[in-house]
Amino acid sequence: FKNNKSILKLEKISFKFGRKTILDNLSLSLNSSQILGLLGPNGVGKSTIFNLITGLIKPDFGTIVINSEKVNNYPIYERTLKYKLGFVPQHGGFFHDLTVYENLQAIAEITITDLSYRRQKIDSLISKFELDAIRDIKADFLSGGQKKKLVIALALISEPKILLLDEPFAALDVMTIKTLQEIIVNLQSENNISVILCDHQARDLLVCVDTAAIIH
């Protein structure tokens, strides 16, 4: 099911914070249904790449292309809805004071208009990520692994075609990391989702990616 059709490209991207150069002439390509890993130490610009793709910040130079269209001037919400981008941040990404079910419902109310399908989608994700036993518990009281599963489920509510995962394995135990790796690979094969994930641990990242780009 994997092919060489490019779904996302960064072309000669440069970005500075003040006088500090974060990215210098960076080019990357993500193919349809591919898992691309970004490997590099903390502070190298991995999260900045995600912020550029989502539209949170704009590059100083270069072009961001999604589905053969230049999207540099498109705002966050338009990139999310039109190009079906999903983003799992390294920290947070959920409503602390809402239960697991209420978190999913809050996002589904924005992205799914059909009421019966909305309920079906929420129940399906709760089952897929094995959140049944904690569906009525507030997100603030979940373990690190449970929170990460919830945030990935939230990102999948709008059925994205491109999923960005910012250090998904950080501060998790070995068994939870293994479970998440399986979930990520299954997303690619079952849903034809193209994935970019970053980490600074080569061991965890290389287990589940098709291609790895080392950022220095």
Side-chain angles (χ1 to χ4, degrees):
F1 60 87
K2 301 174 194 176
N3 58 53
N4 291 325
K5 182 189 172 191
S6 175
I7 192 169
L8 168 69
K9 278 184 182 178
L10 302 183
E11 298 175 341
K12 298 182 178 178
I13 295 288
S14 294
F15 181 78
K16 287 184 178 182
F17 276 125
R19 294 183 178 180
K20 183 174 171 60
T21 300
I22 307 297
L23 300 171
D24 184 19
N25 201 31
L26 174 86
S27 293
L28 275 177
S29 182
L30 174 70
N31 288 332
S32 180
S33 301
Q34 182 186 38
I35 300 181
L36 172 65
L38 303 181
L39 191 58
N42 287 327
V44 82
K46 301 186 298 292
S47 296
T48 302
I49 291 171
F50 286 163
N51 291 338
L52 286 163
I53 293 169
T54 56
L56 189 63
I57 53 178
K58 284 187 178 183
D60 298 320
F61 301 99
T63 307
I64 300 165
V65 177
I66 304 176
N67 289 340
S68 305
E69 285 188 59
K70 181 180 175 181
V71 299
N72 286 44
N73 295 320
Y74 284 20
I76 292 176
Y77 71 90
E78 206 165 328
R79 293 191 201 190
T80 303
L81 295 175
K82 184 175 180 180
Y83 299 103
K84 294 196 166 288
L85 275 177
F87 179 45
V88 176
Q90 185 180 350
H91 304 292
F94 56 88
F95 301 105
H96 292 253
D97 209 37
L98 298 183
T99 66
V100 167
Y101 188 89
E102 288 167 345
N103 262 279
L104 290 162
Q105 190 175 38
I107 304 301
E109 282 174 358
I110 300 167
T111 57
I112 302 172
T113 51
D114 186 318
L115 195 59
S116 61
Y117 180 64
R118 186 189 298 166
R119 289 185 188 133
Q120 181 187 327
K121 184 71 179 176
I122 292 170
D123 289 338
S124 161
L125 286 167
I126 284 174
S127 174
K128 184 183 184 75
F129 288 95
E130 299 175 351
L131 299 170
D132 305 73
I134 54 168
R135 63 186 285 151
D136 297 319
I137 293 176
K138 288 190 175 181
D140 224 14
F141 301 116
L142 304 182
S143 70
Q146 289 168 337
K147 285 175 181 173
K148 192 62 75 176
K149 283 183 182 178
L150 172 60
V151 180
I152 295 174
L154 290 170
L156 294 176
I157 278 277
S158 56
E159 298 181 344
K161 288 296 176 192
I162 300 170
L163 184 63
L164 309 175
L165 298 161
D166 193 356
E167 299 208 8
F169 309 128
L172 298 178
D173 63 86
V174 174
M175 289 307 296
T176 306
I177 289 172
K178 192 174 187 311
T179 303
L180 277 180
Q181 287 167 336
E182 287 172 3
I183 286 170
I184 290 164
V185 172
N186 288 339
L187 285 177
Q188 173 200 225
S189 55
E190 291 170 11
N191 304 74
N192 282 350
I193 295 176
S194 305
V195 180
I196 304 181
L197 63 100
C198 71
D199 211 289
H200 54 271
Q201 293 280 4
R203 180 194 59 201
D204 297 332
L205 182 128
L206 293 176
V207 166
C208 59
V209 301
D210 297 309
T211 305
I214 297 173
I215 302 172
H216 188 269

